[in-house]
Amino acid sequence: MTSTEIRKKFLDYFAQHEHTVVASSSLVPEKDPTLLFVNAGMVQFKNLFLGIETRPYVRATSCQKCVRAGGKHNDLENIGKTLRHHTFFEMLGNFSFGNYFKKEAIAYAWEFLTKELSLDKDKLWITVYKDDPNAAEIWKGIGVREDRIVPLGEKDNFWSMGDEGPCGPCSEILYDLGHGVGCGRPDCQVGCDCDRYLEIWNLVFMEFERSVDGQMKKLPKPSIDTGMGLERITSIMEGKIGNYDTDLFVPLLKRLEEISGHTYGEDEKMDIAMRVIADHARGATFIINDGILPSRDGRGYVLRRIIRRALRYGKKLGIEKEFLYDLSKTVVDTMESVYPEVKNNHAYIVRAIRGEEERFVETLTMGMKLYEEFAGGLKKKGEKTIPGDIVYKLYDTYGFPLDLTTDMAEEDGLSIDKDGFQKASRDQKVRSRTGSKIKGEEWDEGHLNILKENIASIFTGYSVVHDTSKVERILIGDRLVDSIEEGEEGEMFFTQTPFYAESGGQVGDEGFVTIAGTGEKAKVIEVSKLKADLFSHKVVVEGRIFKIGDTVELVVDQEKRKAVSRNHTATHLLHYALRTVLGDHVKQSGSLVDKDRFRFDFTHFEGMDDAQIARVEDIVNEKVMDCIIVTVEEKDREDAIRDGATALFEEKYGDKVRVIKIGDFSMELCGGTHIGNTGEIGSFSIISEGSLASGVRRIEATTGKGALFYKRKIEGALRAISKITNTEIERVEAKVEDILEELGVKEKEINRLKEDIMVYKVDEAIGKALEKNGTKVVTLVLANALIDDLRKITDIVRSKVKQCVVFAAASGPEDKGFLVVAVSKDAQSYYNAGKIIKKITEQYGGKGGGGVGIAQGGLPGGKMKEVFKNIDVFFDN
């Protein structure tokens, strides 16, 4: 049975048992900064388990994309060394939210494995929590022999969502791979760390809630959370010892054999390298697919480590060219039937991986330079050991594996501080670790209370901007109230609403709430989503009183809605134009659509030139002038993606999606509001283009009247410059260049004159110098000089005067300024510039410091003159 068949059979089995099939969420957790990546099937359901959200179903099943390569659950260092650890994997799961419990969960799991997959019952073993006799009895009740049920402790068989919150015992199903696998000891049994007993399915029985003080009480509605790794069950069903011999990995290893010239299975060291690369190709492809790019921190840093680790192992295979981007195509070929978005995003994925491969070559060269400099310095000092922090810097910053640094050190007759390396590695893990215990979203008390009310809003705003509704709940601060009066500010929740809530980068609507024929009136100033079907309307009451149960009229500000809709449709045209001009790797990675202008973030790896910007602007305006009809269609998400619709990274989509189509060139999944015809945009202007982050650019643009006003502003500025410079508009650019060139010449002349004045001042100060114990004391003050000017002055004085101490000060407004003290080399046995500046700043309330030869500090107003009056005081070393 193939992995595709197993995946389908699992979901179909639970669908037949009244479970709703829920698509995998993104690898990037929604609204949860405590988690680097989704690492379990239950993550997207956490609010259901915590009781702060309800959905139309109480049973669910999914095949969830997961990554374990950062934070607490980090398998990265085990990849390749074992046959079943992965950065990216798929988790099959079934879930009950207060519906069925242990008996049904155990029965479903046993039936699926023994009947649907026809696994040999004699090879299955069960573990249960030692203090959960009920689970053991249920297993026995369905025919599992008592000697096949193994009780284990809390470490192995008790699961918790965090230090507090839902928790409970769990039961694992293991598969015995036989005596030929694992440690081979006669007494090997369940619980042994070897690979013989393979954990395939974990059933978590969430029946308790743990309080802050560790007390546990029974949950009123116990729940079920299960997880089975697709890669592991596939290895069993395909009769393989490890995951890398399954159909999920074999195509990757075959392609890697072609690239490297090595055959998998002939040499264990080479096999480890090939397993690492195959795994990391999958991990990198799917992480990039969900909108993460390589960077220096967070998720981007994990991705960078995965890519560079694969490239390092590529070196071990003798691969000298870029190759990982090539393997990503094999990943796409293997997985596109299940995740069609990876095919749609493949050009973007290739560009991101290839860019990181190119950067790695550069850092490799810089790392070699650092090593050579440091190793050379050690040899000169007669030292033999490279410190652990340097070894770790080579590993972490420049991608040098420990064994590479060790080999280079041995060649140079040096050793490395492995303990120091391990300590630096541990310290970095502590610094970079992001908590991986799953927590609920951070809700304030008021919104938490609203969520628990289990109410919903029907959005009618796609078809109307004026609707009749009923007040369902009112919130003032954190309090649920029955009414809200004139002058008060709060939040109102309605049974249905035409107000668009801020989401997908589009700002929320504004408008009014009224009661027909009365003086009741409230201004809607903000609309937000607490969840997909619950809209909060922030209001200021301008007239009388609103109460729960009131029938109200909801009126959207149509001018703002139209302006925002024009800009939103323009973002779709802009997306198309950017892909046309720059390439298919361009993907929208964020946006903010407001009434006056919008910003559009997109993936691209270099700045756009003027010609590219102009071409993009032309393409959008051509589509505007073509007056193309904008169509909206509702589809199943998977069907829409297979049809080629673009899905955005930051968005979470339901099973049913809105597809916005413009002509035959633009098709995107989008929940925003749009105009009916591109001609309604009027005109389009790009205001700016620049870098937002590594691999991400940002365009700001405007449409309609906004574009007209922007063009007028630019033209007005151009006319003003033309008038001031007495130049024709067509020649303004050349005139400005001439002026700048002339200013450059004059600036050089000014600097030359300043230096002449400086030399004069220096000569004057030297002529007035005092003498202290055979040492000349030169003092001078310059108005509004820079610190670099003062240091330059001290250099000039020391070049002209032997055995001297120089005090050079810059006085600014209210005598605030800097002081530089310098001591010539032949006077440094008597005087110390750092000590002098320290005495001065301590006495007069300033700050400063420096070395024996030169030091600097800042002093508050009015103090500089006192310093120069009392110079002698500071010479007592």
Side-chain angles (χ1 to χ4, degrees), residues 831-873:
Y831 302 109
N832 182 309
K835 288 182 178 180
I836 294 172
I837 205 80
K838 186 178 180 184
K839 282 185 179 182
I840 294 171
T841 54
E842 282 179 352
Q843 182 163 331
Y844 293 106
K847 288 183 179 180
V852 176
I854 191 163
Q856 67 187 52
L859 294 174
K863 302 297 182 182
M864 201 69 77
K865 289 179 182 177
E866 290 184 42
V867 172
F868 281 79
K869 282 180 185 177
N870 301 296
I871 287 288
D872 284 358
V873 176

Side-chain angles (χ1 to χ4, degrees), residues 737-835:
E737 287 174 353
D738 289 344
I739 291 171
L740 290 174
E741 187 178 340
E742 187 179 338
L743 286 173
V745 171
K746 289 181 178 179
E747 186 177 2
K748 286 179 182 177
E749 180 64 18
I750 289 169
N751 288 335
R752 188 188 64 78
L753 291 170
K754 279 175 70 177
E755 286 182 7
D756 289 346
I757 293 169
M758 203 179 291
V759 170
Y760 171 77
K761 292 263 189 185
V762 165
D763 290 341
E764 186 180 38
I766 291 171
K768 295 178 180 179
L770 304 174
E771 192 165 313
K772 176 82 172 176
N773 299 328
T775 299
K776 293 271 189 179
V777 181
V778 182
T779 61
L780 69 164
V781 179
L782 293 177
N784 300 316
L786 301 174
I787 198 78
D788 286 344
D789 294 334
L790 300 182
R791 295 176 78 94
K792 193 181 289 183
I793 283 171
T794 65
D795 289 341
I796 294 170
V797 173
R798 284 183 291 174
S799 70
K800 291 189 173 191
V801 181
K802 291 183 179 180
Q803 197 170 326
C804 66
V805 177
V806 190
F807 290 78
S811 61
E814 300 177 12
D815 276 347
K816 290 179 182 176
F818 299 105
L819 174 65
V820 174
V821 177
V823 179
S824 63
K825 213 163 194 178
D826 50 9
Q828 288 175 13
S829 57
Y830 309 110
Y831 302 109
N832 182 309
K835 288 182 178 180

Side-chain angles (χ1 to χ4, degrees), residues 583-601:
D584 289 342
H585 64 278
V586 169
K587 290 279 289 182
Q588 180 177 341
S589 62
S591 66
L592 176 63
V593 182
D594 211 332
K595 62 178 181 179
D596 297 320
R597 60 171 62 189
F598 67 86
R599 67 174 187 236
F600 186 89
D601 303 335

Side-chain angles (χ1 to χ4, degrees), residues 102-145:
K102 288 183 193 177
K103 185 177 179 181
E104 295 87 346
I106 288 171
Y108 287 145
W110 190 251
E111 182 177 67
F112 182 76
L113 292 177
T114 60
K115 292 186 178 177
E116 297 294 318
L117 299 187
S118 302
L119 291 186
D120 185 349
K121 294 178 184 179
D122 291 336
K123 291 190 175 184
L124 296 175
W125 288 75
I126 310 297
T127 67
V128 294
Y129 181 48
K130 62 182 179 60
D131 295 330
D132 185 16
N134 179 238
E137 289 302 317
I138 295 171
W139 281 112
K140 285 189 277 186
I142 61 172
V144 178
R145 298 201 317 263

Side-chain angles (χ1 to χ4, degrees), residues 392 418-433:
Y392 185 74
K418 289 189 177 180
D419 291 339
F421 171 81
Q422 296 299 341
K423 181 181 183 300
S425 179
R426 286 193 299 271
D427 291 347
Q428 171 61 19
K429 285 177 182 175
V430 170
R431 288 194 298 272
S432 66
R433 181 178 293 128

